[in-house]
Amino acid sequence: MKRHLSFPLLGIALVLGGCTLAPEYTRPEAPVPVDWPSGAAYQETKAMPITPPATEISWQEFFGDGRLQQIIATALNNNRDLRIAALNVERARGLYGIQRAELYPTLDAVGTGSKQRVPADLSGVGKEITVEQYRVDFGILSWEIDFFGRIRSLKDRALEQYLSTEEARRSAQILLVSSVVTAYLSLAADRENLRLGETTLEAQQSAYDLIKRRYDVGLATELALNQAQTLVDTARRNIAVFTQLVAQDENALNLLVGSPAPIPRELLPADLGSVSSLKEISPGLSSEVLLLRPDIMAAEHQLKAANAYIGAARAAFFPRIALTTTVGTASADLSGLFGSGQGTWGFAPQIVWPIFDARLWSAYDVTIAEKEIALAQYEKAIQTAFREVADALAVRGTAEQQLSAQQSLVDAYARTYRLSVARYGKGIDSYLGVLDAQRSLYTAQQALVFLRLGKLANQVRLYAVLGGGSDQPVLHQSGS
């Protein structure tokens, strides 16, 4: 019996020391330039301060505002999209475990019993008899010995799909963190615009009241009164618009956070000035940092999975060897089942060698096409990432000039507005000059708020597109 039990042990040794028919994987060359773009819209990367890669800067370090950190932490615990991504990882891990278990035999204990009445003319002894049989077996049933690596290739494919799912979860976390912060900044900007509208309304209402008093005593024209009224009504409309936007911003932020209760009011920003500055980061000197992005790592794992599946398709052309082996005991009497001399054993190897099956060639062609698709998707992910970083660098390279010019414009319009009011008060100009100056000033002030928002939002975007805001990547040894 020990001699026969050595067969499955030999098979296990062959499997553990076996190889696969999958092609050797080599990482493709990145289809983007090594250096970041240069030109008038970009800062020189060599002149940028040296900082760790974004993937090594935690979101707690990058977003130093304590209130914002609390909101992000709540979102990471409650957001349903991120929860679904995490559950997908658990599912992929379980599927990998199932596929990996196919490498090893399954040991089963099987007990059977039967009783059968045999008529006299069939019994062989000339009278009817009752036949009883009882059996207990312990062994391996239909275990495929993976000589050509078919199961190992499927296991490797499942592993890469699991790792891809984990990277997708990290990518979802980056998206969530950046979305929460962007929504937080949008709320701050709209609240600032709401306050600007309220301040403008107060000023316009005071101007209207003054013109109304002058109109009542015949010192102002009806045209001037109506022009002042348009400024008041415009300010009232702007307040209503930004009141609506603030409410919608809060709703969007609450949805991202996913908490049953609304975000406490004390954690919400009053304006952009109340948001702590964000940490400055550098893209590095080479675009190779893009390979650390979770979405690109996920695409590469999918490419590796497709590569491993080719090994399974190739192995299908070779023989498949299965083994069934059992040891046990059998008896015609239940009481004698475990008696001396009742031992049994069975050894049934099976080999299936495909001679002709057109489906195998079609399946192999499918695996080749799937690998080419995965390769194109991997290269497209890198190209998209390069474009996203380049766009963010272009915004950062010009943001300060835009802000400086817009601030100078606001100052100029503010002086023009004061002079127009003074000239109208002295009767030199009509109120039309005041009207135009006020409209220009308000528009310039709004544009300044949006530019400040754009600069902060771009810092968040640069951090995200460089792979910042997720956990550390999964480390895996291919031989495990």
Side-chain angles (χ1 to χ4, degrees):
M1 187 180 300
K2 291 182 179 178
R3 181 175 68 253
H4 294 292
L5 286 176
S6 65
F7 284 103
L9 297 178
L10 176 61
I12 293 174
L14 289 172
V15 169
L16 295 180
C19 59
T20 71
L21 299 178
E24 182 179 356
Y25 175 78
T26 303
R27 174 180 285 176
E29 292 291 331
V32 294
V34 175
D35 299 323
W36 298 115
S38 60
Y42 304 94
Q43 296 178 359
E44 289 294 333
T45 54
K46 295 180 180 179
M48 295 180 185
I50 301 300
T51 63
T55 52
E56 297 180 8
I57 302 176
S58 67
W59 61 263
Q60 295 93 334
E61 183 180 358
F62 185 78
F63 305 109
D65 192 303
R67 298 171 303 170
L68 183 54
Q69 288 179 354
Q70 292 185 53
I71 293 175
I72 294 174
T74 304
L76 292 177
N77 289 328
N78 294 283
N79 182 267
R80 297 314 189 267
D81 290 333
L82 188 60
R83 186 174 299 177
I84 291 172
L87 292 173
N88 283 333
V89 174
E90 294 299 320
R91 180 178 63 180
R93 182 185 292 121
L95 292 174
Y96 165 60
I98 293 172
Q99 191 62 63
R100 186 180 185 185
E102 292 289 333
L103 284 168
Y104 304 100
T106 299
L107 300 178
D108 296 296
V110 181
T112 60
S114 66
K115 180 180 288 190
Q116 182 181 10
R117 177 184 177 278
V118 181
D121 59 343
L122 297 178
S123 67
V125 295
K127 62 178 181 178
E128 65 179 38
I129 60 174
T130 300
V131 179
E132 297 183 40
Q133 184 177 4
Y134 300 93
R135 187 182 187 95
V136 174
D137 291 308
F138 178 77
I140 301 169
L141 302 178
S142 300
W143 170 46
E144 180 180 343
I145 304 176
D146 196 32
F147 280 114
F148 301 100
R150 187 186 73 88
I151 298 176
R152 183 173 292 274
S153 293
L154 293 175
K155 183 268 296 183
D156 291 341
R157 180 198 189 200
L159 172 62
E160 296 300 337
Q161 290 175 333
Y162 154 60
L163 295 177
S164 177
T165 307
E166 169 61 24
E167 295 301 334
R169 184 204 63 80
R170 294 179 57 233
S171 185
Q173 178 171 322
I174 290 176
L175 178 61
L176 174 61
V177 171
S178 61
S179 296
V180 167
V181 178
T182 300
Y184 185 86
L185 294 174
S186 296
L187 173 60
D190 286 338
R191 280 189 161 187
E192 187 166 332
N193 275 317
L194 176 59
R195 190 175 64 181
L196 175 62
E198 291 170 344
T199 302
T200 301
L201 177 59
E202 291 176 2
Q204 297 310 318
Q205 187 64 55
S206 298
Y208 174 82
D209 293 340
L210 175 61
I211 295 175
K212 181 65 168 60
R213 289 194 295 270
R214 297 183 64 183
Y215 172 77
D216 291 340
V217 296
L219 297 178
T221 65
E222 184 178 0
L223 176 61
L225 181 64
N226 289 331
Q227 289 172 335
Q229 180 67 49
T230 62
L231 292 178
V232 172
D233 293 338
T234 300
R236 289 172 54 203
R237 182 203 63 195
N238 290 336
I239 289 175
V241 168
F242 283 106
T243 299
Q244 170 191 319
L245 291 177
V246 165
Q248 291 175 331
D249 290 341
E250 291 179 3
N251 293 337
L253 192 56
N254 281 316
L255 175 62
L256 287 170
V257 170
S259 178
I263 300 172
R265 308 298 295 182
E266 61 270 16
L267 296 182
L268 299 178
D271 51 34
L272 288 174
S274 66
V275 180
S276 299
S277 60
L278 308 178
K279 185 180 180 67
E280 289 291 340
I281 59 172
S282 167
L285 300 179
S286 170
S287 63
E288 289 184 359
V289 297
L290 296 176
L291 300 181
L292 300 177
R293 273 183 39 155
D295 60 331
I296 293 178
M297 295 177 70
E300 185 176 11
H301 284 304
Q302 289 292 349
L303 177 58
K304 291 179 178 179
N307 190 73
Y309 199 38
I310 293 176
R314 286 177 173 176
F317 291 100
F318 292 85
R320 293 175 63 175
I321 301 173
L323 175 66
T324 297
T325 179
T326 61
V327 294
T329 180
S331 174
D333 187 354
L334 182 60
S335 61
L337 183 61
F338 295 102
S340 175
Q342 300 301 122
T344 65
W345 58 265
F347 176 66
Q350 182 187 43
I351 180 169
V352 178
W353 196 317
I355 302 300
F356 173 76
D357 189 344
R359 295 173 299 175
L360 296 180
W361 290 103
S362 296
Y364 180 70
D365 292 340
V366 168
T367 61
I368 298 298
E370 287 179 344
K371 181 181 178 181
E372 293 302 317
I373 292 171
L375 174 60
Q377 291 172 334
Y378 171 69
E379 293 176 338
K380 179 63 180 297
I382 295 177
Q383 291 175 337
T384 300
F386 186 89
R387 186 264 173 94
E388 290 174 345
V389 175
D391 285 349
L393 291 175
V395 173
R396 185 168 78 168
T398 58
E400 286 298 334
Q401 294 93 320
Q402 293 182 56
L403 281 170
S404 176
Q406 189 64 33
Q407 183 62 62
S408 177
L409 190 62
V410 168
D411 295 340
Y413 278 132
R415 291 192 297 269
T416 300
Y417 175 67
R418 288 194 298 269
L419 292 173
S420 297
V421 171
R423 290 175 66 86
Y424 171 74
K426 294 178 180 179
I428 300 175
D429 289 336
S430 68
Y431 197 73
L432 182 60
V434 177
L435 179 66
D436 290 339
Q438 197 282 329
R439 287 174 176 169
S440 299
L441 174 60
Y442 182 71
T443 301
Q445 289 172 326
Q446 277 189 316
L448 181 61
V449 173
F450 287 129
L451 284 175
R452 291 167 56 207
L453 170 63
K455 179 185 176 182
L456 291 173
N458 187 68
Q459 285 183 263
V460 177
R461 179 167 178 77
L462 181 59
Y463 176 61
V465 298
L466 287 172
S470 73
D471 302 323
Q472 292 302 312
V474 174
L475 298 179
H476 172 75
Q477 298 296 329
S478 58
S480 63

